Amino acid sequence: SQTIHQWPATLVQPVGSPLSLECTVEGTSNPNLYWYRQAAGRGLQLLFYSVGIGQISSEVPQNLSASRPQDRQFILSSKKLLLSDSGFYLCAWLDRGDTGELFFGEGSRLTVL
Amino acid sequence: GENVEQHPSTLSVQEGDSAVIKCTYSDSASNYFPWYKQELGKRPQLIIDIRSNVGEKKDQRIAVTLNKTAKHFSLHITETQPEDSAVYFCAASRSSTSYGKLTFGQGTILTVHP
């Protein structure tokens, strides 16, 4: 069965520091992968999605970037964090079968101070 | 782009009562409408979804209805239980071209009192 791993689970970073969140998927090949962000008390907002290695689409202008160096690896990065980057970041992969269900990772809670 | 509005933002019910959460969407091309449940500090998980060729779908105590003309859809939970307490999100997408690219509502915090 497919599983999705995301780390780190929590991190506290100072403003201006870099960021790297990693997501890996097991049990599937060539998945569609997504990064969503959930600000406190709000819904989820799609940040990036990828349909294959090296293919990244950005949904909103922001201070973050994404990369997909391997088929089942998706990385979210920033060179210099802003206070507004705080939030709960969720990686997800898509079941391309009939369900179309989106499966989320456990999430990474980022606090920028 | 798509905009999804969700109401109410909080909902408190007694165990055994029904709960209804409503969402409206703006993009008439949207045709896939999932509902996710998120327990405190955990990942969202799909509980039910509906496609535009269907007006209603049921799964045990949960049902979803869709009115494409009015562009709104609703989640109905009957015989609520304390374990139903969570945040519920509705979402919409153009499934034919945008599976996984979901636009979410703001969420509803459901509290079921024993």
Side-chain angles (χ1 to χ4, degrees), chain B residues 75-100:
Chain B
L75 177 71
H76 303 253
I77 306 174
T78 58
E79 300 173 24
T80 54
Q81 300 167 4
E83 51 265 39
D84 294 329
S85 296
V87 182
Y88 291 81
F89 293 97
C90 63
S93 79
R94 299 181 180 189
S95 64
S96 60
T97 58
S98 306
Y99 260 144

Side-chain angles (χ1 to χ4, degrees), chain A residues 26-43:
Chain A
E26 296 177 358
T28 185
S29 60
N30 196 28
N32 282 8
L33 297 173
Y34 306 81
W35 278 110
Y36 279 84
R37 176 170 61 197
Q38 185 175 24
R42 299 180 65 83

Side-chain angles (χ1 to χ4, degrees), chain A residues 34 36 38 99 104-106, chain B residues 36 38 43 51 99-100 102:
Chain A
Y34 306 81
Y36 279 84
Q38 185 175 24
T99 69
F104 288 94
E106 295 282 3
Chain B
Y36 282 80
Q38 185 179 28
R43 74 183 92 189
R51 286 167 173 78
Y99 260 144
L102 298 174

Side-chain angles (χ1 to χ4, degrees), chain A residues 12-17 81-83 86 110-113:
Chain A
V12 179
Q13 296 284 103
V15 169
S17 63
L81 284 169
L82 306 172
L83 288 173
S86 294
L110 169 66
T111 302
V112 182
L113 301 175

Side-chain angles (χ1 to χ4, degrees), chain B residues 54-114:
Chain B
V54 176
E56 182 177 2
K57 184 177 178 180
K58 281 187 178 180
D59 183 2
Q60 300 182 350
R61 296 186 297 109
I62 294 173
V64 57
T65 59
L66 170 65
N67 183 327
K68 280 221 76 178
T69 302
K71 290 192 280 189
H72 67 71
F73 56 112
S74 301
L75 177 71
H76 303 253
I77 306 174
T78 58
E79 300 173 24
T80 54
Q81 300 167 4
E83 51 265 39
D84 294 329
S85 296
V87 182
Y88 291 81
F89 293 97
C90 63
S93 79
R94 299 181 180 189
S95 64
S96 60
T97 58
S98 306
Y99 260 144
K101 293 175 63 179
L102 298 174
T103 300
F104 283 84
Q106 295 303 305
T108 296
I109 302 172
L110 174 64
T111 304
V112 181
H113 299 283

